[in-house]
Amino acid sequence: MAIRENFTDTDMDRWLNEQRVTEIECLVPDLTGVARGKILPRGKFTQDRGMRIPEAVLGMTVTGNYPTEDAAYDRAISSTDRDMILRADPATITHVPWAGDPTAQVIHDCYFADGTLVDFAPRAVLRRVLKLYADRGWKPVVAAELEFYLTEKNSDPDLPLKAPIGRSGRAETSRQVYSIDAVNEFDPLFEDIYDYCELMQLDVDTLIHETGAGQMGINFLHGDALALADKVFYFKRTLREAALKHQMYATFMAKPMAGEPGSAMHVHQSVADARSGQNIFSAADGSPAPIFKHYIGGLQRYTPAVMAIMAPYVNSYRRIVRHTSAPINIQWGMDNRTVGFRIPESGVQDRRVENRIIGADANPYLALAVTLACGYLGMVDHLEPTPMTVGSAYDRPFELPQGLPEALRALRREDRLRQVLGERFIDVYSAIKDLEHQEFMTVISPWEREHLLLHV
């Protein structure tokens, strides 16, 4: 379900007037998941106006630089720094709860001058994959579990992060997984978060304390893939703002603290028949349908090649290590949290697979696009999975790339993924991540100074 399902341009204008909105944040999710765009007074906001921003805004690294020396990137993005035309998606109009004056925010799609979608924009990549499903009469149904850390404010990036001080006046020093009291330490913050999310109609469900010090998790209700990605995008902004109000940081880094578990975005996914609404993963007799196994086979075959999207930063690979609540493999198993693809115990209509590999730092639009693309290729190519894993998979060999350069090489060489995700998207995304890695390699870490300075 969309945030405001079936809203039209007229409905959006009426809602803005009813809410007496004075200012509108016009948002475009970029490839890193950062909200770009413009802020307009209410009187200047009309769909016909055709707001514009440069195409290159979607082609930046997380540090704000451009891979201008990459030939494929140069072919993909105009050298004249041309504009994109932005059009608001009325279904995404919602409040900005933390703003002082009545303010709205709305997500925009990006178009070229000829009226076609900008094909390397994250929402367009997900729309492209969803159209492949729709063309076969299928509709993905997805849900997400998003993990994050609360930390003390940290103004010096050279200093390690620390767990925040709660109501007791103390920071956590021991494992508090699923502790109600540990969550209640930050009750004023979470009251604000739930109030904000209710006002914005983000459909968040349960909140739990995860394993790490100050690590929490939030569940989103299942539904349409694009709407879910919008809600996760909005939630990340909302949580950061709420944490700042309470003198804390909230971070979705995959591995923000040494010695603590990383943060994931577990994505539950099933596929329904678009007409009947029946789960196609289940046969008429209630048993797993052959197409369910093919979906798992697709995840196994192509996930290593999309790791650069599921684990998009150098920090992401610090999470993918043994015995740290993160999978290092592409195995599958029943109710088994040590494998990459867990099959939860469920009823016939709820049969699904949980992708446990995706990091919390992944762009939600791209993460959903690629996990659904892997499953799609498995179904259409009738890929068979390996035998189901029984018992722990943590001691199995690594089956995933262990760093960003290796992951990018795997992404670039998969022609089937280029067909499904788009040639230009692969070229632009890979070039950006190459440059990010080059920038990272110019920084000398404390470990290097500690162990190499006087010893080698």
Side-chain angles (χ1 to χ4, degrees):
M1 180 179 290
I3 293 170
R4 301 194 182 279
E5 189 177 22
N6 300 323
F7 248 44
T8 65
D9 289 350
T10 301
D11 294 327
M12 179 171 63
D13 281 333
R14 184 174 61 251
W15 183 87
L16 290 168
N17 293 334
E18 289 171 351
Q19 302 299 315
R20 302 192 178 190
V21 167
T22 60
E23 198 169 65
I24 301 171
E25 296 181 354
C26 304
L27 308 179
V28 174
D30 75 359
L31 291 178
T32 65
V34 172
R36 308 287 179 184
K38 297 182 179 181
I39 300 175
L40 298 179
R42 170 69 181 97
K44 297 289 186 180
F45 178 78
T46 64
Q47 288 281 41
D48 295 338
R49 185 170 179 268
M51 189 176 68
R52 299 165 185 259
I53 61 173
E55 180 185 74
V57 167
L58 292 179
M60 296 188 296
T61 66
V62 73
T63 60
N65 292 318
Y66 302 91
T68 53
E69 297 181 4
D70 185 285
Y73 178 93
D74 287 342
R75 288 193 299 271
I77 291 186
S78 169
S79 60
T80 62
D81 200 17
R82 65 186 175 186
D83 276 340
M84 302 180 295
I85 301 169
L86 306 186
R87 185 170 181 83
D89 181 346
T92 68
I93 191 79
T94 191
H95 297 84
V96 180
W98 55 87
D101 295 322
T103 304
Q105 55 187 330
V106 61
I107 299 172
H108 287 60
D109 284 308
C110 306
Y111 292 86
F112 292 119
D114 64 3
T116 60
L117 280 169
V118 175
D119 49 1
F120 53 86
R123 284 186 114 227
V125 176
L126 179 52
R127 287 183 188 277
R128 179 188 180 110
V129 174
L130 294 178
K131 185 177 186 304
L132 294 175
Y133 276 81
D135 289 346
R136 292 179 177 265
W138 298 334
K139 182 175 177 57
V141 180
V142 294
E145 303 169 1
L146 186 62
E147 298 169 345
F148 57 90
Y149 274 87
L150 301 175
T151 76
E152 281 190 353
K153 280 191 170 182
N154 178 283
S155 59
D156 186 347
D158 285 334
L159 297 178
L161 296 172
K162 296 180 181 178
I165 304 297
R167 292 189 306 170
S168 66
R170 291 185 174 185
E172 292 179 20
T173 57
S174 60
R175 297 287 185 238
Q176 298 290 339
V177 62
Y178 283 94
S179 168
I180 299 298
D181 292 339
V183 172
N184 287 339
E185 282 282 289
F186 307 103
D187 193 51
L189 166 63
F190 290 120
E191 284 182 358
D192 278 349
I193 291 170
Y194 273 117
D195 287 345
Y196 289 174
C197 289
E198 182 177 1
L199 184 63
M200 296 170 65
Q201 299 185 6
L202 297 188
D203 287 343
V204 296
D205 193 12
T206 52
L207 170 74
I208 65 168
H209 194 295
E210 296 284 354
T211 306
Q215 187 186 31
M216 309 291 172
I218 195 90
N219 291 353
F220 291 80
L221 300 177
H222 68 273
D224 173 78
L226 182 61
L228 177 71
D230 288 335
K231 289 167 186 173
V232 173
F233 170 73
Y234 272 147
F235 178 79
K236 286 186 171 185
R237 292 194 81 212
T238 303
L239 179 63
R240 291 190 191 102
E241 290 289 341
L244 286 173
K245 176 182 173 182
H246 292 268
Q247 303 304 309
M248 285 179 270
Y249 284 170
T251 180
F252 297 92
M253 280 179 67
K255 188 77 168 182
M257 294 186 186
E260 299 288 352
S263 291
M265 180 170 66
H266 299 152
V267 175
H268 293 249
Q269 49 213 284
S270 60
V271 180
D273 179 271
R275 289 188 176 182
S276 68
Q278 294 299 305
N279 188 337
I280 68 171
F281 286 171
S282 294
D285 63 0
S287 63
I291 204 167
F292 181 49
K293 295 290 185 69
H294 297 327
Y295 193 97
I296 296 169
L299 287 172
Q300 289 188 307
R301 167 65 179 81
Y302 289 104
T303 291
V306 295
M307 274 298 285
I309 299 168
M310 293 183 181
Y313 303 102
V314 289
N315 176 263
S316 308
Y317 298 85
R318 300 186 189 279
R319 170 180 160 261
I320 309 295
V321 293
R322 292 187 194 279
H323 303 291
T324 58
S325 303
I328 62 170
N329 59 75
I330 54 171
Q331 301 304 305
W332 68 283
M334 291 295 300
D335 202 11
N336 185 339
R337 287 182 168 83
T338 70
V339 297
F341 309 112
R342 170 178 171 256
I343 313 303
E345 296 284 355
S346 65
V348 172
Q349 184 62 11
D350 298 324
R351 180 168 279 117
R352 62 194 187 276
V353 57
E354 176 193 8
N355 184 336
R356 296 179 59 80
I357 294 171
I358 302 168
D361 54 349
N363 180 311
Y365 301 97
L366 299 181
L368 292 181
V370 297
T371 192
L372 293 173
C374 293
Y376 172 84
L377 288 173
M379 291 189 293
V380 299
D381 293 343
H382 300 96
L383 301 181
E384 292 293 333
T386 61
M388 184 178 72
T389 295
V390 178
S392 175
Y394 281 147
D395 293 325
R396 296 178 66 97
F398 267 88
E399 297 174 312
L400 296 168
Q402 294 182 263
L404 193 55
E406 180 186 351
L408 287 169
R409 287 193 294 271
L411 177 63
R412 281 180 162 126
R413 64 174 173 252
E414 279 293 353
D415 289 339
R416 288 289 276 149
L417 288 173
R418 285 182 171 271
Q419 295 168 12
V420 172
L421 300 174
E423 185 91 18
R424 185 151 44 182
F425 164 70
I426 297 294
D427 288 342
V428 170
Y429 186 88
S430 299
I432 289 168
K433 292 300 166 183
D434 269 339
L435 180 56
E436 282 182 0
H437 184 259
Q438 291 172 31
E439 291 175 339
F440 171 79
M441 292 301 291
T442 67
V443 178
I444 309 304
S445 70
W447 185 95
E448 292 165 278
R449 290 190 290 270
E450 179 178 353
H451 296 289
L452 304 181
L453 182 65
L454 300 177
H455 296 162
V456 297

